[in-house]
Every structure is written in C-alpha cells, then in structure tokens.
Amino acid sequence: WNWNESDQAALDAWLDESDRHRVAYLRQSAVWNSAERLVVLRPELEVPARARLFPLLMRIAAVVLVAALGAGGIAYYLHPRAAVYSTPIGGRKTLQRADGSQIELNTITIVSLSKEGNTRKATLVQGEAYFHIRHDAAHPFIVSAGDYRVTDLGTEFVVRRAPTRIEVGLLKGGVRFDAANIDGTPQSALLTPGDVLVADANSMSLSKKPLGELMNELGWRCGMLVFKDTMLQDAAAQFNRYNREKLVLTGADVARLRINGTFRAASIELFAQSVHDLFGLTVTRSDNELVISE
C-alpha cells in the first residue's frame, strides 16, 4: 500500500464530510494501534509496517458499517491528533489548560482539543461545556460544533450542543458566532454579556438574559440545578440529563405546574418527594422510572 498525496487528500475530504466519518477513523486507528503494539510483543513476526496495514479506506469503511449498526449514534468526533475528554451521565470534569484557560464539561459531554497552526481548537461533539478562555490574539481559540463556530474574543461563555441545535450563552467579554449555512446563507453574530444565541439548520435567534439567570443555569458546575418559576416538565427534563433513573410526568396539568428551588442534580428522589409534598402528587416507581401523577 503506497500512500501518496492523492490518498491523503481523499482521506481528508472523506473525514470532512461528516462527524460519523471522523468517529470511524478514530476508533479504527485506536484498534489498529493496539494491534500493532501486539505485533511488537512478537518480534519473531518480522512483518514490515506497511504490510501490516490493510488499505486504509477499506478499514474505515468496515468501521463505518459497524458504527451504523450500533445503537447510540456518534460517540466521538476527533481530529486525529486531538486529545479527547468525556463525562458519563451525571459526571463533570474540569480541564486546566497550559495557557491558563479552563474548560468545564457537564454531564454526557465529549470535547476534543487540538492545535492547528496558531489556532487553539475545541470540538464539542455532544453535551455542554463552560469555557473560561485566556485571550491571545496571536493564538485564537475556536469552538466547533458541527457547522457552527464560536470564536473567543476574551471571554467566559457556555456552549450546549443538542442533536438538532446549538445554544451559546455569554457571561463575560465577547465571542463571534458563525454558522456555516442557515437558510443557504452564511450568518454571523457578535455576542455581548447576557446574550443567548440559539441556532439550528434553518434559523438563528439572539436574545438577552439577566446575568444572574445565566449563572443559575450554570449551577451544574457545582452539581446543582436552580429552578425559578420553572415548569415541572422542564425541571424533570433537566433532572433526566443527570440521572439514569428518569422522571416521568403523566398529564398535561402536572407538566405545567411551576416550581422554585435549588436541588442537587443527583437527588432525583428528593426532588420527587418535594413535588409530592408541595403539590400532593403521587410518586410511584416503575422499573427505572419515578412516575409523577395526580
């Protein structure tokens, strides 16, 4: 297998087509690296390095098929030289960078960090992350999430990536948001503190929130969930992000009830008990669910 510039260009183009392709490449590379380490342990097998490799795209195609058949979709999206960090359900992680920046990962979050030339780059594969970035004009910091880019202008901000949309909230400084393609036209926006930008494949909206409200939404950094006149259905959805046991509401009237309070994200049973005490609702356990009903 004589790898050349044309092959590399084809691979790069294929990787750029979708997150799934990068996932496949990374996973297969990890498996193949492990296999090659096993070969090292068997010195009697004098196999040339290149001879040990199947044609790269054939290997990738096989992994794409495996990934397509597996449940759960994309797990990792990486630049081949990126460092990957992830959290499980209910988990949190803080990354201290050598440049003085800090990145905090919320529940079920995957982030890859890499450097391309003078650019510091983070790719938010899924979940939510808080960025406190040490600004350096000579070494810009960019967060990528699918077709969206958030460029640091000296700032503290949070990015949440959902399957069909992205949300960016700015607490301090400034960021530039760029969408590769909204309604067929590239769009961008400059955010100031308190701005919350929400974008999907068809639209982009910018609104303002009090900084105190944005800080409440970042209660997860301390393992807390803060609710202020929050509908019960929204509070339940928040708890379900952090717990394997899920809250299930029955009835539209129950879902529309509103609640205030601060709760530990992991204390789903305590929350259910509080709802029972406050509204007189019934709480029953079914399999891995807490069902709340009238």
Side-chain angles (χ1 to χ4, degrees):
W1 183 257
N2 297 315
W3 193 257
N4 55 43
E5 291 184 3
S6 177
D7 295 324
Q8 184 63 50
L11 173 60
D12 290 342
W14 185 82
L15 290 173
D16 288 338
E17 285 179 3
S18 73
D19 290 354
R20 193 178 297 275
H21 290 179
R22 287 184 179 272
V23 171
Y25 176 81
L26 178 74
R27 285 178 169 171
Q28 184 61 13
S29 294
V31 170
W32 214 255
N33 288 339
S34 297
E36 290 185 346
R37 282 195 291 271
L38 291 176
V39 171
V40 172
L41 296 176
R42 297 281 303 278
E44 68 274 18
L45 299 177
E46 293 294 335
V47 183
R50 289 187 180 274
R52 290 200 300 268
L53 300 177
F54 291 125
L56 182 58
L57 295 180
M58 293 290 289
R59 287 159 40 196
I60 293 173
V63 177
V64 169
L65 177 61
V66 172
L69 293 174
I74 294 174
Y76 294 98
Y77 166 20
L78 297 171
H79 184 284
R81 294 178 297 278
V84 185
Y85 305 91
S86 63
T87 56
I89 187 168
R92 302 192 312 278
K93 182 175 291 186
T94 299
L95 310 176
Q96 289 290 160
R97 311 305 296 161
D99 61 9
S101 299
Q102 180 174 298
I103 303 170
E104 299 180 35
L105 312 187
N106 197 4
T107 179
I108 323 177
T109 295
I110 303 171
V111 169
S112 70
L113 302 178
S114 61
K115 189 172 183 180
E116 298 181 6
N118 291 329
T119 300
R120 298 168 291 166
K121 184 175 181 181
T123 299
L124 181 61
V125 181
Q126 68 178 44
E128 182 176 20
Y130 165 81
F131 298 86
H132 186 171
I133 302 304
R134 180 67 62 85
H135 184 63
D136 181 352
H139 300 86
F141 186 94
I142 298 175
V143 179
S144 299
D147 291 331
Y148 310 110
R149 303 288 182 272
V150 181
T151 303
D152 154 63
L153 301 176
T155 187
E156 297 178 33
F157 61 101
V158 61
V159 182
R160 182 177 178 186
R161 182 177 182 180
T164 60
R165 71 176 205 165
I166 185 174
E167 181 175 326
V168 181
L170 181 65
L171 289 91
K172 183 178 180 181
V175 296
R176 188 182 74 245
F177 177 86
D178 295 289
N181 190 8
I182 292 179
D183 284 338
T185 304
Q187 295 193 19
S188 63
L190 292 176
L191 278 64
T192 58
D195 281 346
V196 175
L197 185 146
V198 177
D200 59 24
N202 301 309
S203 64
M204 182 176 76
S205 65
L206 187 63
S207 60
K208 191 72 106 175
K209 284 186 179 181
L211 288 177
E213 185 175 340
L214 280 178
M215 291 302 299
N216 284 344
E217 293 175 1
L218 287 171
W220 58 262
R221 296 172 60 203
C222 302
M224 308 299 291
L225 297 177
V226 181
F227 303 125
K228 184 177 181 181
D229 196 33
T230 303
M231 284 200 298
L232 204 55
Q233 64 182 5
D234 296 330
Q238 284 296 312
F239 269 101
N240 289 345
R241 293 177 61 202
Y242 297 87
N243 296 275
R244 296 189 182 280
E245 190 171 37
K246 305 302 182 184
L247 289 171
V248 177
L249 309 182
T250 61
D253 290 340
V254 172
R256 287 194 295 265
L257 292 171
R258 294 184 176 272
I259 192 168
N260 296 282
T262 300
F263 301 85
R264 293 198 63 81
S267 300
I268 192 170
E269 291 189 7
L270 178 60
F271 176 77
Q273 183 62 45
S274 299
V275 168
H276 165 75
D277 295 342
L278 183 62
F279 299 111
L281 299 176
T282 299
V283 179
T284 57
R285 189 181 298 277
S286 175
D287 296 328
N288 203 33
E289 297 176 342
L290 288 176
V291 181
I292 300 176
S293 59
E294 290 185 306

